Amino acid sequence: MVQIVICSAGAGGLAEWVLMELQGEIEARYSTGLAGNLLGDLHYTTEGIPVLIVGHHILYGKIIHLEKPFAVLVKHTPGEPDCDEFGCKSGTQYLVRALIKNKILFKTRPKPIITNVPKKV
Amino acid sequence: PRGSRVLFQQPLLRLGRPGLGRVRAKGKLADLPGNATAARSAPETRPRPSARAFETVRFLCTFRRVQTTRGAWFFCTKPAAPGAAGTPPRPRPAMRRTREEVDATLQIAKLNAAELLPTVHCLGFGPGASAAAGDFCLLELEPALCEQLEAGHSLVIRGDKDEQAVLCSRDKTYDLKIADTSNMLLFIPGCKTPDQLQMEETHCNIIHTEIFGFSNNYWEVRRCRPKLKKLKKLLMENTYEGPDSQKEKDSSHPKYTTEDLLDRIQASEEEIMAQLQVLNACEIRGYWRILEFDYEMKLLNHVTQLVDSESWPFSKVPLSICLQELGPLEPEEMIEHCLKCYGKKYIEDGEVYFELSADKICRATAQMLLQNAVKFNLTEFQEVWQQSVPEGMVTRLDQLKGLALVDRHSRPEIIFLLKVDDLPEDNQERFNSLFSLREKWTEGDIAPYIQDLCGEKQTIGALLTKYSRSSVQNGVKVYNSRRPIS
C-alpha cells in the first residue's frame, strides 16, 4: 500500500490565498505559455464587489466566504530541502502551500468595453 | 496607424457562447482597412464545445496595446486567426503595468474611479503557472481537517492499487474523490479581499499579483468509516498461543508493529488503536498480537478461579496478588493483559485493582460453548452457560448481541454463533449475507449486526430503509431483502 503524506508548514505558518473562479478556459496565445503574461486588473467597488477587466471585457463578481476551505498542495519529490525541514518521511509527498478561505466568483456574462468609434473623416 | 508597434502580451482568455463565435468589440484598429476585414473574417474555428462546456460562457478575449507616436495607449481588438495579419510579432516579456495604465483602462472602460477602492491588483501568471497538472492541486477541507493543518499536523493518503484512496487525519478517515468543474479555478497568493484592504491603514494603489496556478478539478473529502476488517485478518494470521508455543520460536510467521499496520490499513492511527483494544490485542515485544481464543480463555480461567478461591469481590481484584499467584503459570504481562481486557483498572490506597466485567466474562464463556457446535438447543444452552460462568455472575441473552443469534421460530428454539466481525464490511454485501442467513429479521435481531455500518449521523432506521423492505408479519414489523438473494 502507498502512504502519501500531506505535510503542513506548521502552526501559524500557513499563508492565506484567494481563489478566483472563472467560467471558461485559459490559453496562451503563443506557445510560449502563460508564464509571465498579464491577465488583467482586479478592482473592488466601495461596496466590495470585485470588478475584473480582462482585455476588452469587464466582469462583475462576488466574494464568497468558503464553508469548506481549500488547501493548495504542491507535490514534492523526495530529498527536497523544504520537506525535510518539516520532518516528513521520504517518498511522494505533498506540501500544503496555503489555505484558501475566500473565493472571488465571476459568473455573470462579461460586458464588452466599447472604445471610441472615430468620427468619419 | 502607420508607425505603430503592436505588442502581444496577453494570454488568450477563451470564454464564449458556443455557436456564436467570438464577441468582437469595435475599436480603432478594427475600423482601419485591412484589419477590419481580418477582424470580421474568422468564424469560430474551434470545434463545437461539448455539452458540459455549454454552460460556460466563452468569448475570445485579447488585450493588446498599441503605442502611437504620441505615447498614448489604446485598446484595440486584434485580427482573427494567426497568419491573417502576417507573422505575429515576437511576444515581449511582460512589463509591469503602471498606475497610469490602469487608470487609462478604467477610463476607457467607463468605470468611475470614485466608486472603486484605491487599490488595484494587476494579475499576471507566475513562472510556474503552466506547470504540469499534478504538480499542484486543490484539496477541499472539512473544518476539522482545516484546523488540523493550521495546527501543523500532517494528513496521510492511504491505499493499495486496487483500493479506493482514503485521507486520514490523526483520528478520522475520509473518502477521497476528484471533482471536476467546467469552471477555471485560479489560486492567487497575496490577493486581498475588500475587507482586508479596508482594514489597512495605508492604501497602496497598485499590487502586482502573480497567479500561482490554476486547475479545473479539486479533491473532495467525505468522512467515512475506517476500513478495519483487514486489521483482524492480518493479526489472525499468527495468533499468540503463549510464549512456549512452537510458533514463537519460528520467526517466519508474520508479525506487525504499529508502523506496519499504518502501512497496510486504510484508517487513522487513533481508529486503529481503538480497534486493537476492541480485539483484545496485546503488544508483545513491539508486535501487535491477537491471542488465540483457547489461550485467552486459559488466562481468564486462571483469574476467575483465583478470584473464587480467594473469595474476592469481582469489583476488587488486586493486581499484585494475581501476579504473585499466577506468575509461575503464565507471563505476568499476559495476566495483566487479561485483567485489562476483562476489567477496569483503578487505584485505591496506592494499590492497583481491577473491576471485572460480568458482561464481558459471560460473553466470552458463551463464545467458548457455542463455537464447538453448529447450533444449540436454547434451553439447554442457557443452563450450561449459567453453570459455566463464575459463581455470582448472571447470564442474560442480551450480553450476546453481535455474537450469537436466537431462532425462535424453530422447534425447539435454537441459538448459534454469528459474529458480526465475520460478516462483510461493505453495506450491500453485509445485508446480502444477513438476508441469505435468514429471510426476515426483526429490528431487534438485526440491529447488532448493522450497528457498525452507521456512519456519522446515520441511524439503523436509515440503513434499513435504504437496504431492505419492511412488512408486518403476525403484528410484528420485519425486514427482508429488496431483491432476490441467490
Side-chain angles (χ1 to χ4, degrees):
Chain A
M1 189 178 81
V2 180
Q3 283 200 79
I4 300 174
V5 184
I6 299 176
C7 317
S8 168
L14 282 178
E16 205 172 299
W17 293 0
V18 164
L19 193 72
M20 186 181 293
E21 190 167 340
L22 295 168
Q23 289 179 330
E25 294 165 26
I26 301 183
E27 284 176 7
R29 175 182 304 286
Y30 299 110
S31 48
T32 49
L34 288 172
N37 283 334
L38 289 173
L39 176 65
D41 296 340
L42 175 68
H43 298 268
Y44 297 112
T45 66
T46 45
E47 323 246 297
I49 297 191
V51 182
L52 183 66
I53 303 179
V54 185
H56 57 234
H57 290 272
I58 308 182
L59 299 107
Y60 292 90
K62 60 180 176 177
I63 304 253
I64 299 177
H65 181 77
L66 295 169
E67 251 177 41
K68 292 193 182 178
F70 281 97
V72 181
L73 305 180
V74 177
K75 196 188 251 187
H76 256 91
T77 45
E80 285 266 347
D82 281 357
C83 238
D84 293 341
E85 193 182 296
F86 304 133
C88 302
K89 295 187 267 210
S90 57
T92 315
Q93 44 204 336
Y94 286 89
L95 186 65
V96 179
R97 264 311 282 278
L99 290 178
I100 297 178
K101 299 195 178 169
N102 291 297
K103 82 169 172 191
I104 309 175
L105 173 63
F106 292 99
K107 62 176 184 189
T108 55
R109 190 173 164 179
K111 266 178 58 181
I113 300 172
I114 316 282
T115 57
N116 288 327
V117 179
K119 293 200 186 76
K120 292 239 190 311
V121 178
Chain B
R2 205 168 289 164
S4 66
R5 227 169 352 133
V6 172
L7 307 168
F8 290 89
Q9 292 198 354
Q10 263 50 42
L12 220 70
L13 178 67
R14 244 176 221 297
L15 309 165
R17 197 113 61 85
L20 278 189
R22 295 187 296 230
V23 172
R24 292 180 293 278
K26 277 195 181 252
K28 276 190 178 289
L29 216 58
D31 288 335
L32 297 173
N35 278 331
T37 324
R40 284 190 203 112
S41 65
E44 184 68 78
T45 51
R46 286 169 66 81
R48 196 180 175 84
S50 67
R52 191 169 76 169
F54 201 87
E55 305 165 49
T56 67
V57 174
R58 305 176 95 231
F59 66 91
L60 176 63
C61 169
T62 65
F63 182 27
R64 181 221 226 187
R65 288 180 295 182
V66 177
Q67 183 167 21
T68 67
T69 49
R70 275 199 306 276
W73 298 91
F74 301 85
F75 303 106
C76 316
T77 54
K78 67 166 248 335
T87 38
R90 258 172 324 141
R92 277 190 26 190
M95 293 187 308
R96 287 197 147 187
R97 273 169 75 69
T98 62
R99 185 71 221 191
E100 291 71 35
E101 292 166 336
V102 170
D103 289 332
T105 310
L106 282 180
Q107 221 183 20
I108 294 192
K110 300 203 185 68
L111 287 175
N112 183 358
E115 287 171 7
L116 302 174
L117 295 182
T119 315
V120 66
H121 290 84
C122 291
L123 303 173
F125 288 95
S130 320
D135 282 358
F136 46 68
C137 58
L138 286 176
L139 172 66
E140 193 186 45
L141 302 168
E142 295 200 348
L145 282 176
C146 189
E147 279 169 22
Q148 294 245 323
L149 285 178
E150 284 175 313
H153 299 303
S154 302
L155 307 174
V156 187
I157 300 175
R158 298 196 163 109
D160 240 330
K161 276 196 298 279
D162 55 349
E163 289 169 329
Q164 289 256 356
V166 298
L167 179 75
C168 301
S169 64
R170 223 175 20 189
D171 62 343
K172 296 187 180 73
T173 308
Y174 301 82
D175 263 328
L176 202 58
K177 287 201 159 70
I178 296 192
D180 272 321
T181 164
S182 55
N183 287 355
M184 178 63 57
L185 304 167
L186 303 152
F187 12 116
I188 312 178
C191 180
K192 299 198 166 53
T193 61
D195 294 340
Q196 288 165 340
L197 284 175
Q198 282 170 329
M199 287 206 302
E200 282 178 353
E201 289 176 0
T202 48
H203 299 286
C204 58
N205 62 9
I206 188 164
I207 305 179
H208 295 281
T209 325
E210 264 188 9
I211 298 171
F212 181 81
F214 58 90
S215 172
N216 60 5
N217 59 51
Y218 58 91
W219 296 355
E220 207 177 52
V221 294
R222 208 159 55 130
R223 181 93 196 267
C224 69
R225 276 183 289 126
K227 317 237 187 302
L228 293 168
K229 199 169 161 72
K230 194 171 172 187
L231 179 60
K232 184 172 179 186
K233 178 168 153 263
L234 289 179
L235 295 181
M236 293 296 281
E237 286 172 0
N238 185 14
T239 54
Y240 185 68
E241 291 171 12
D244 302 323
S245 130
Q246 196 54 40
K247 274 208 280 186
E248 295 315 299
K249 307 200 165 67
D250 181 358
S251 59
S252 69
H253 290 111
K255 290 205 284 257
Y256 303 95
T257 60
T258 308
E259 289 303 313
D260 292 333
L261 292 175
L262 284 171
D263 252 342
R264 286 167 173 74
I265 312 281
Q266 286 185 298
S268 69
E269 188 165 347
E270 273 186 32
E271 286 163 330
I272 294 179
M273 290 297 135
Q275 185 68 6
L276 285 169
Q277 217 178 24
V278 165
L279 292 170
N280 287 349
C282 185
E283 197 169 13
I284 300 173
R285 281 200 292 270
Y287 295 99
W288 285 99
R289 311 292 298 277
I290 284 187
L291 271 53
E292 208 241 321
F293 188 69
D294 290 345
Y295 181 63
E296 193 170 316
M297 288 299 104
K298 191 164 83 157
L299 290 168
L300 185 60
N301 275 330
H302 285 318
V303 170
T304 52
Q305 277 174 18
L306 184 65
V307 170
D308 189 53
S309 69
E310 299 281 329
S311 300
W312 289 326
F314 293 124
S315 58
K316 201 164 178 181
V317 178
L319 173 64
S320 49
I321 306 183
C322 281
L323 295 180
Q324 203 182 325
E325 298 295 317
L326 299 174
L329 301 169
E330 296 295 341
E332 286 190 3
E333 314 87 67
M334 299 320 298
I335 298 168
E336 189 166 352
H337 172 73
C338 183
L339 286 166
K340 279 190 207 153
C341 291
Y342 289 95
K344 214 160 54 167
K345 184 172 166 174
Y346 66 95
I347 300 184
E348 200 178 275
D349 301 328
E351 283 285 317
V352 178
Y353 294 96
F354 282 88
E355 180 187 344
L356 293 182
S357 161
D359 287 347
K360 287 191 187 174
I361 295 179
C362 290
R363 192 181 163 98
T365 313
Q367 183 177 338
M368 189 174 67
L369 295 171
L370 289 168
Q371 66 179 22
N372 293 321
V374 172
K375 59 184 185 222
F376 258 93
N377 176 307
L378 180 63
T379 333
E380 283 174 21
F381 168 76
Q382 283 179 300
E383 270 178 41
V384 176
W385 186 27
Q386 181 61 68
Q387 285 166 14
S388 310
V389 298
E391 202 174 314
M393 290 190 180
V394 180
T395 57
R396 294 182 323 267
L397 279 176
D398 67 277
Q399 289 165 338
L400 306 183
K401 282 190 198 295
L403 178 69
L405 195 58
V406 174
D407 187 352
R408 298 203 181 269
H409 295 292
S410 64
R411 292 284 167 265
E413 289 178 334
I414 56 163
I415 183 168
F416 57 96
L417 193 70
L418 179 63
K419 283 157 74 180
V420 65
D421 10 334
D422 288 343
L423 296 173
E425 200 172 28
D426 169 74
N427 287 10
Q428 186 63 64
E429 284 176 34
R430 171 79 60 96
F431 275 91
N432 288 351
S433 74
L434 288 172
F435 287 126
S436 42
L437 267 171
R438 179 189 278 189
E439 204 189 324
K440 293 191 203 289
W441 291 74
T442 61
E443 184 171 338
D445 278 347
I446 203 173
Y449 293 99
I450 53 175
Q451 182 68 59
D452 60 316
L453 299 180
C454 290
E456 252 183 0
K457 302 170 197 162
Q458 201 177 20
T459 59
I460 302 250
L463 277 174
L464 286 170
T465 309
K466 185 167 178 190
Y467 292 99
S468 69
R469 196 180 295 142
S470 71
S471 56
V472 177
Q473 203 181 48
N474 301 331
V476 179
K477 193 168 188 187
V478 290
Y479 298 89
N480 57 300
S481 171
R482 277 182 177 271
R483 43 177 126 148
I485 303 279
S486 53

